[in-house]
Amino acid sequence: MATSIGQNVLIVEDEFIVANDLEMMLDRAKYRIVGIASSVQEALVFIDKQKPDIVILDIMLQGQQTGIELAKMLANMVIPFVYLSANSNPGTLEEAKATHPYGFLVKPFREKDVLVTLQMALYRHAHSLETCIRKEQSLKIALYDIFSQRGEWKQKMQELNQLFDPFIPHDYLFAGLINDQDVFPMLGVSQIGRDEYQHIGVTELAGLSGFSVQELGLILPDFFLVNSGICQGSDFGSLKSSNKFVDLLAGTLRFGASLVYQLQLSQGLVFLISFFRRQSDGFHTEHLALLERLKEPLMLTIDRRIAFEEIDKLRKRLEEENHFLQEEVKTNIEYGEIVGASKSLSEVFKKIEQVSAIDTSVLILGESGTGKELVARSIHNRSPRKNKILVKVNCAALPPSLIESELFGHEKGAFTGAIERRIGKFELANGGTIFLDEIGEMPLELQARLLRVLQEKEIERLGGKDCIKVDVRIIAATNRDLEKEVGEGRFRLDLYYRLNVFPILLPALRDRKEDIPLLADFFGKKLCRKVGKPFRGIDERAMIDLLQYQWPGNIRELENVIEQAAIVGDGQGLLTLGRQLINKAIEPGGAQGSTSGGGPKTLLEIKQLQQQTEREHILTVLKKANGRIRGKNGAAELLNLKPTTLESRMEKLGISRSNI
Ligand SMILES: Nc1ncnc2c1ncn2[C@@H]1O[C@H](COP(=O)(O)OP(=O)(O)OP(=O)(O)O)[C@@H](O)[C@H]1O
């Protein structure tokens, strides 16, 4: 029976002597009097502040309202109350009865009667159906809150354990989703003291039982086969002998009874919640019935949680994609067009044109700084995949230990530090293109995995069991001589053949000197704009130096030289070089380079070369624009010139429509 110790009582009585008597009486019986109110209004203030466990109330009170009206409010607030009245008028009694009081005491009262009535009322209230419903309602709300909020699943398990304890007393709670996603992995929690918990999941159980996590992982699926229901006494014994996981769990933690409940969610997922007790008769059918009643709200909230986790994952992916896209936008603006009109570069353009639309792998070869990345982007931007993502991976910049997870992703726990699942660049590039820069630096073991992706078009995350289909176009680039690498055993021959379906060889800048004036002009405009100075052209002496230099760093080096010139220049006259360019012997290490030296020597030769280059460039662009000068995609727009300026340049260079 409920005990009086510490129970809060509110007395609602307008006769001072009666109220005082009651107060002394209840005080002796160890109740706590939270207040004495003489009107309904006063009573409501006490109720609001003190939250009494029970109210003793008179019917006739000070003020407009009677105790009966207060009783109706108390019923709504689920606070038990007992009438104390001298009023035995049948009409009033009927009215009072209709409020379903927990007792009715007639004045004058005996101490014993008051105390027994209060005890009975408190006991009945604690077990009344209404209270149960209310408690269950708050359980549902609390469950909803647990699953709605983001946060650590371990913490959620602790809360779940605490919530269920008053409804289904237990020693251990084991719950989770049976699925291949790690939305809510199987976790266990055991209460070891007041507000003290121990998490005993599969890892901890392995430690306690002496089995390895892998061994436990093998028998865990046995547990998923246990049907919903209570198992205790001899039934629990049978369950142990037929189910290896239950046997190990019960043996390690000394359990004698279980209550398992499986909840079928949408998309074929199952939420499993199970309770264990040390005693062998701890569970009742009403516990199972409670879980049945919670089924619907639990299903809805867990489904919602899964949906949220999915959204979180997608958002994360979008953030990652967005990061790449921003890089894309930045680089797109920076790169603009591929500048050059030399014969060798025209060959490259032709190849880009040929291969872009075909969904084949491309291997771009060339010394460092020759524009391999620019070509890769250009192929992607002209391909049917142009609206999808282009993901760049620099194989040389990643530590070998990370390349694999960077490319293929990893599952949570795949290695130390893999605290959550991460998708790799291949998955990220799905539907688009992956640009594997410096492919020659890829470790041999990974080359085998890459070959599999190329052949089977599927990847496997590190630590994962399933293969994931990916639709990715591969563009690889290297400044190494891959044939030599193959010969020396550093690159797989089969992979080389796979990648080398369509090779594009970028010429070294020293082998297409005629592009230097155009490039210098292009970078001069771009970089002067960047540093906020006008560009008035390149000084003739500077141009001779540029043309005579051998450019071991190729276009990247030229860009740097012009940038330096733009920075140090005063912005008043023609651009002069900020430093001297000294030719050193070119290392044969530069993959496909040759060292043909000797550019134009005299100013006249330079002028002629410049004009020739400009003529070729304009012709190339005119061809690209199908001979159109004006309008959208016309040659003037492509060259960023006014149509009239272009026409006068054409006239000066002797270009007529018949040349196109
Ligand atoms: N034809 C070109 N027209 C304009 N700019 C170019 C051209 N080729 C290269 N560049 C510029 O030169 C720089 C180097 O180019 P890119 O990074 O594409 O070279 P890469 O061959 O990929 O170099 P690495 O092998 O070192 O990665 C970039 O800033 C790029 O914009």
Side-chain angles (χ1 to χ4, degrees):
M1 189 177 273
T3 159
S4 59
I5 298 172
Q7 297 269 27
N8 294 330
V9 185
L10 172 66
I11 300 170
V12 188
E13 171 62 75
D14 61 349
E15 284 175 68
F16 174 74
I17 298 177
V18 179
N20 202 40
D21 267 355
L22 265 175
E23 186 181 19
M24 288 193 306
M25 205 181 278
L26 296 178
D27 193 48
R28 279 194 296 274
K30 306 273 187 268
Y31 282 100
R32 208 179 133 248
I33 317 301
V34 295
I36 298 176
S38 49
S39 67
V40 171
Q41 225 175 349
E42 262 184 67
L44 288 174
V45 176
F46 278 117
I47 292 165
D48 187 39
K49 291 208 173 114
Q50 304 286 339
K51 309 265 179 283
D53 297 311
I54 190 159
V55 177
I56 301 179
L57 78 159
D58 194 356
I59 294 179
M60 301 316 288
L61 295 167
Q62 283 180 14
Q64 301 286 312
Q65 292 170 293
T66 67
I68 293 178
E69 282 162 273
L70 177 61
K72 290 178 191 161
M73 295 183 228
L74 289 170
N76 277 338
M77 292 184 252
V78 206
I79 297 174
F81 55 91
V82 169
Y83 285 112
L84 177 71
S85 178
N87 194 331
S88 50
N89 169 312
T92 314
L93 279 180
E94 258 331 288
E95 255 192 90
K97 230 166 80 185
T99 61
H100 301 292
Y102 282 83
F104 199 109
L105 287 158
V106 182
K107 289 181 196 170
F109 47 79
R110 289 188 313 164
E111 178 166 347
K112 210 173 162 193
D113 290 344
V114 173
L115 297 181
V116 169
T117 308
L118 277 189
Q119 288 277 290
M120 294 293 290
L122 282 166
Y123 178 80
R124 264 191 51 215
H125 179 70
H127 294 86
S128 76
L129 185 66
E130 229 172 321
T131 321
C132 284
I133 294 170
R134 182 56 72 100
K135 280 186 184 164
E136 226 175 277
Q137 199 58 29
S138 21
L139 172 67
K140 282 180 194 165
I141 294 171
L143 283 172
Y144 174 84
D145 285 348
I146 289 182
F147 286 105
S148 305
Q149 284 152 16
R150 287 198 177 90
E152 277 268 309
W153 277 107
K154 271 193 167 178
Q155 176 60 30
K156 288 189 194 299
M157 274 298 280
Q158 201 166 304
E159 288 166 14
L160 214 58
N161 186 61
Q162 222 169 340
L163 263 186
F164 272 112
D165 201 48
F167 296 91
I168 307 175
H170 60 274
D171 297 302
Y172 179 66
L173 172 69
F174 190 55
L177 275 182
I178 307 178
N179 68 342
D180 62 343
Q181 319 169 17
D182 46 357
V183 182
F184 181 4
M186 291 301 293
L187 293 171
V189 67
S190 149
Q191 185 151 7
I192 48 173
R194 211 183 131 79
D195 292 334
E196 248 191 292
Y197 303 91
Q198 189 180 5
H199 288 278
I200 308 180
V202 175
T203 319
E204 292 81 5
L205 192 59
L208 291 169
S209 64
F211 281 77
S212 70
V213 176
Q214 283 78 10
E215 283 168 323
L216 280 194
L218 286 177
I219 59 168
L220 179 65
D222 268 18
F223 187 56
F224 304 153
L225 302 174
V226 180
N227 291 327
S228 294
I230 294 169
C231 243
Q232 41 199 14
S234 58
D235 285 349
F236 192 65
S238 320
L239 177 64
K240 282 198 296 180
S241 46
S242 64
N243 194 302
K244 284 193 190 126
F245 187 81
V246 177
D247 191 36
L248 184 121
L249 184 71
T252 310
L253 300 170
R254 298 193 313 283
F255 294 138
S258 69
L259 164 53
V260 174
Y261 195 73
Q262 297 215 7
L263 203 68
Q264 193 69 46
L265 305 176
S266 62
Q267 294 170 29
L269 296 179
V270 173
F271 175 68
L272 188 148
I273 185 162
S274 60
F275 303 86
F276 288 86
R277 291 202 80 163
R278 302 241 150 74
Q279 67 194 75
S280 58
D281 59 350
F283 297 114
H284 306 291
T285 45
E286 69 196 54
H287 295 145
L288 199 59
L290 170 71
L291 290 172
E292 266 301 319
R293 288 196 299 279
L294 292 175
K295 186 174 155 181
E296 287 290 319
L298 263 177
M299 262 163 59
L300 285 175
T301 39
I302 300 174
D303 265 338
R304 241 171 64 115
R305 179 76 244 149
I306 295 169
F308 279 144
E309 302 262 345
E310 266 316 303
I311 292 169
D312 271 356
K313 260 195 284 178
L314 287 174
R315 205 194 41 220
K316 240 174 152 179
R317 188 185 160 136
L318 273 178
E319 274 169 11
E320 283 184 56
E321 283 194 2
N322 197 19
H323 170 76
F324 283 105
L325 286 175
Q326 278 174 7
E327 209 177 65
E328 278 284 276
V329 172
K330 259 198 306 195
T331 45
N332 267 345
I333 292 166
E334 221 175 279
Y335 287 137
E337 283 277 304
I338 302 178
V339 178
S342 58
K343 207 161 171 286
S344 50
L345 199 66
S346 303
E347 283 302 311
V348 172
F349 286 140
K350 217 189 281 168
K351 289 203 157 185
I352 295 176
E353 208 68 56
Q354 287 167 348
V355 79
S356 294
I358 319 162
D359 219 21
T360 180
S361 305
V362 180
L363 180 64
I364 309 171
L365 302 157
E367 286 180 25
S368 180
T370 43
K372 297 187 289 297
E373 183 171 338
L374 211 54
V375 169
R377 287 178 188 281
S378 167
I379 294 174
H380 172 78
N381 289 338
R382 285 157 189 268
S383 76
R385 292 169 184 262
K386 65 172 181 243
N387 294 323
K388 294 286 171 67
I389 191 167
L390 168 80
V391 175
K392 179 188 164 181
V393 184
N394 188 337
C395 303
L398 287 170
S401 56
L402 282 187
I403 296 192
E404 193 166 7
S405 104
E406 196 69 20
L407 287 182
F408 305 112
H410 62 247
E411 292 295 336
K412 186 175 170 178
F415 51 85
T416 326
I419 42 173
E420 55 183 27
R421 171 191 283 183
R422 224 192 122 173
I423 64 163
K425 297 266 163 89
F426 268 99
E427 248 177 288
L428 191 65
N430 203 4
T433 308
I434 194 159
F435 173 46
L436 300 171
D437 200 6
E438 316 273 14
I439 187 90
E441 317 293 322
M442 186 175 268
L444 265 174
E445 325 80 75
L446 263 189
Q447 291 176 21
R449 285 195 69 176
L450 177 61
L451 185 69
R452 236 187 43 221
V453 180
L454 282 167
Q455 281 166 342
E456 274 141 51
K457 302 208 176 296
E458 54 187 27
I459 55 141
E460 209 175 284
R461 294 195 192 117
L462 263 181
K465 290 183 234 93
D466 302 322
C467 288
I468 302 158
K469 281 258 165 246
V470 284
D471 163 30
V472 176
R473 179 183 198 177
I474 296 179
I475 302 181
T478 183
N479 56 18
R480 290 202 184 194
D481 180 346
L482 275 194
E483 265 181 48
K484 192 165 155 232
E485 295 294 303
V486 170
E488 287 168 13
R490 283 190 297 269
F491 205 83
R492 291 180 66 114
L493 182 66
D494 42 11
L495 179 61
Y496 173 65
Y497 282 138
R498 269 273 166 182
L499 291 174
N500 204 27
V501 183
F502 195 95
I504 299 181
L505 176 64
L506 290 194
L509 186 56
R510 66 185 155 275
D511 293 334
R512 50 179 177 119
K513 289 210 162 169
E514 59 271 44
D515 283 342
I516 291 178
L518 270 182
L519 280 163
D521 200 58
F522 169 77
F523 289 133
K525 278 185 197 137
K526 183 175 110 174
L527 299 167
C528 282
R529 196 178 329 119
K530 190 171 143 194
V531 294
K533 294 176 188 170
F535 175 66
R536 304 181 200 280
I538 304 219
D539 172 78
E540 283 178 359
R541 179 67 243 166
M543 188 60 84
I544 294 174
D545 289 348
L546 294 179
L547 287 163
Q548 283 183 339
Y549 186 56
Q550 295 300 302
W551 299 110
N554 292 295
I555 303 174
R556 182 179 293 112
E557 192 185 2
L558 174 63
E559 190 174 2
N560 291 344
V561 166
I562 304 285
E563 182 161 29
Q564 206 177 6
I567 293 168
V568 298
D570 57 11
Q572 301 302 315
L574 298 170
L575 211 55
T576 54
L577 299 189
R579 64 173 157 121
Q580 224 189 330
L581 298 173
I582 300 165
N583 277 326
K584 292 185 197 129
I586 292 177
E587 298 290 322
Q592 286 79 15
S594 77
T595 56
S596 74
K601 303 272 179 318
T602 63
L603 272 181
L604 185 69
E605 277 174 21
I606 293 169
K607 279 246 149 61
Q608 280 171 346
L609 184 62
Q610 260 178 332
Q611 283 192 354
Q612 185 194 333
T613 314
E614 195 179 352
R615 193 171 186 279
E616 279 173 20
H617 186 48
I618 292 176
L619 273 169
T620 313
V621 175
L622 276 167
K623 274 183 197 146
K624 221 188 273 180
N626 292 326
R628 254 184 340 116
I629 294 175
R630 291 158 193 274
K632 186 132 189 64
N633 291 326
E637 191 189 86
L638 295 177
L639 288 163
N640 206 10
L641 292 174
K642 277 194 208 152
T644 45
T645 315
L646 177 60
E647 277 161 352
S648 74
R649 292 299 300 152
M650 282 168 64
E651 204 183 317
K652 214 162 164 194
L653 296 165
I655 303 173
S656 66
R657 287 188 181 270
S658 59
N659 295 119
I660 303 166

